[in-house]
């Protein structure tokens, strides 16, 4: 039995693949090692994983996660997984590699993530060949749920949010500007907090022009500051994974076209295609 997991900053999608090829899917919270340590991950997994999971029969865990940018951060996740899956060989890779493998398989191309955070790369068919650092949610992450949420919250705090939107925002969250500042600057996981408001932008229909403008500006920043900085980027198709890219795909496709980039695959989650990648890989061994 093997496990394949795709871990974002907010949620992790897991799939147990048994020896007969049966797939069992389940979810836990996300584990970004920039925000949580090994002890936190272990405790969360013990609470969140299915109680009947056959730990002793799992020989291999392939975990792809947000924030796994270097050996130190990957080590935090590896240590936690080895404590939970004691009989398993553990591989921990970047969630961007998961996106590339899910979107492109063994074909070279461009792949991106647009979820709670953002990332982009040129993939050579096996590994990430080129990557411009997203600079994370404080300095960058243009186009992400966090980025869109920050724009919304900034307008709210500064009094720039249209009154019809502001009224719905208050009725939905009952947050004052001081509450928002406190949540962002004094409480943990501010990236998740900010990203949660991208759903409000998607759901609220009282002022479509305002909501669409937030998304358009965010995606234009994403293409201008990240995508278009890759040499010869226009020769690739634009392929993307993530709830933000998927939910706002009409605006995303328009923006890609404005940058003369053909649109390829836009998926909500990589897990199904990532599982298939590992099935194909195992069959080839």
């Amino acid at each position: 039995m093997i496990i394949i997991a795709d871990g974002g900053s907010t949620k992790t999608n897991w799939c147990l693949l048994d020896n007969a090829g049966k797939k069992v899917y389940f979810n836990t919270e996300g584990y970004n090692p920039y925000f949580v340590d090994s002890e936190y991950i272990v405790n969360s997994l013990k609470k969140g994983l299915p109680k009947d999971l056959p730990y002793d029969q799992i020989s291999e865990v392939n975990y792809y996660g947000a924030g796994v940018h270097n050996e130190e951060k990957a080590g935090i996740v590896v240590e936690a997984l080895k404590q939970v899956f004691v009989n398993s060989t553990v591989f921990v890779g970047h969630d961007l590699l998961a996106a590339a493998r899910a979107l492109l398989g063994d074909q070279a191309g461009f792949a991106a993530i647009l979820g709670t955070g953002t990332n982009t790369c040129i993939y050579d068919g096996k590994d990430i060949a080129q990557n411009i650092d997203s600079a994370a949610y404080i300095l960058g992450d243009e186009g992400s749920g966090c980025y869109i949420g920050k724009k919304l919250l900034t307008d709210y705090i500064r009094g720039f949010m249209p009154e019809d939107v502001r009224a719905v925002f208050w009725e939905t969250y009952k947050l004052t500007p001081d509450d928002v500042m406190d949540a962002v600057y004094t409480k943990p996981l501010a990236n998740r907090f900010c990203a949660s408001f991208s759903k409000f932008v998607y759901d609220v229909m009282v002022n479509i022009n305002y909501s669409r403008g937030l998304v358009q500006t965010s995606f234009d920043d994403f293409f201008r500051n990240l995508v278009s900085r890759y040499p010869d980027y226009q020769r690739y198709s634009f392929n993307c994974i993530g709830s933000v890219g998927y939910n706002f795909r009409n605006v995303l496709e328009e923006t890609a076209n404005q940058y003369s980039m053909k649109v390829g695959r836009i998926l909500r989650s990589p897990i199904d295609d990532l599982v298939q990648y590992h099935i194909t890989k195992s069959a080839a061994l």
Side-chain angles (χ1 to χ4, degrees):
M1 291 186 178
I2 68 171
I3 278 183
I4 301 99
D6 168 58
S9 292
T10 303
K11 183 177 73 172
T12 302
N13 297 312
W14 302 76
C15 178
L16 173 68
L17 185 66
D18 71 15
N19 297 330
K22 180 183 177 182
K23 305 170 189 175
V24 180
Y25 292 91
F26 44 94
N27 301 316
T28 65
E29 67 173 306
Y31 308 110
N32 188 321
Y34 277 90
F35 307 119
V36 297
D37 58 17
S38 297
E39 182 181 2
Y40 180 96
I41 297 171
V42 170
N43 291 333
S44 175
L45 288 175
K46 287 180 177 179
K47 293 177 182 176
L49 290 172
K51 302 303 180 186
D52 59 348
L53 199 64
Y55 293 93
D56 58 333
Q57 299 177 44
I58 297 169
S59 61
E60 182 181 319
V61 176
N62 297 282
Y63 178 95
Y64 301 84
V68 183
H69 289 286
N70 53 47
E71 289 187 10
E72 177 192 355
K73 297 304 179 185
I76 292 171
V77 183
V78 169
E79 181 182 343
L81 292 175
K82 285 186 174 179
Q83 289 184 50
V84 175
F85 300 97
V86 294
N87 296 327
S88 304
T89 300
V90 173
F91 166 81
V92 171
H94 202 293
D95 61 347
L96 186 56
L97 180 59
R101 287 177 170 178
L103 288 163
L104 298 164
D106 59 0
Q107 301 298 309
F110 178 90
I113 294 173
L114 279 171
T116 299
T118 296
N119 219 327
T120 55
C121 75
I122 303 298
Y123 175 66
D124 64 9
K126 292 183 179 179
D127 293 300
I128 295 169
Q130 194 174 357
N131 167 244
I132 298 173
D133 200 308
S134 70
Y137 81 100
I138 293 178
L139 299 178
D141 267 358
E142 293 92 329
S144 68
C146 185
Y147 195 79
I148 294 169
K150 285 194 297 182
K151 284 186 172 295
L152 180 81
L153 294 174
T154 300
D155 281 357
Y156 180 63
I157 291 168
R158 292 174 174 169
F160 298 160
M161 184 183 284
E163 283 303 317
D164 51 357
V165 179
R166 190 179 187 90
V168 178
F169 183 92
W170 173 255
E171 286 302 316
T172 303
Y173 299 109
K174 294 293 192 296
L175 290 171
T176 67
D178 286 341
D179 292 332
V180 172
M181 294 291 286
D182 184 55
V184 171
Y185 290 105
T186 68
K187 295 182 179 179
L189 302 176
N191 64 322
R192 289 191 199 173
F193 174 78
C194 293
S196 69
F197 294 97
S198 65
K199 185 177 186 301
F200 177 84
V201 175
Y202 179 75
D203 288 341
V204 174
M205 301 295 180
V206 296
N207 193 323
I208 298 298
N209 289 335
Y210 172 73
S211 298
R212 188 179 181 86
L214 285 179
V215 178
Q216 284 177 324
T217 301
S218 299
F219 285 166
D220 185 65
D221 290 346
F222 169 66
F223 272 84
R224 185 178 65 256
N225 296 335
L226 288 168
V227 179
S228 66
R229 298 305 181 99
Y230 288 93
D232 301 320
Y233 75 96
Q234 292 170 327
R235 72 185 181 92
Y236 300 103
S237 63
F238 178 83
N239 303 282
C240 174
I241 276 176
S243 58
V244 172
Y246 185 83
N247 289 338
F248 297 110
R249 58 191 177 278
N250 291 340
V251 181
L252 183 59
E253 289 174 1
E254 289 176 8
T255 310
N257 290 333
Q258 289 170 7
Y259 280 80
S260 302
M261 203 171 186
K262 182 181 178 182
V263 177
R265 305 179 72 202
I266 299 178
L267 305 176
R268 180 185 293 277
S269 168
I271 191 65
D272 287 328
D273 294 88
L274 190 58
V275 170
Q276 187 56 51
Y277 172 87
H278 278 276
I279 291 173
T280 302
K281 180 182 174 183
S282 296
L285 295 177

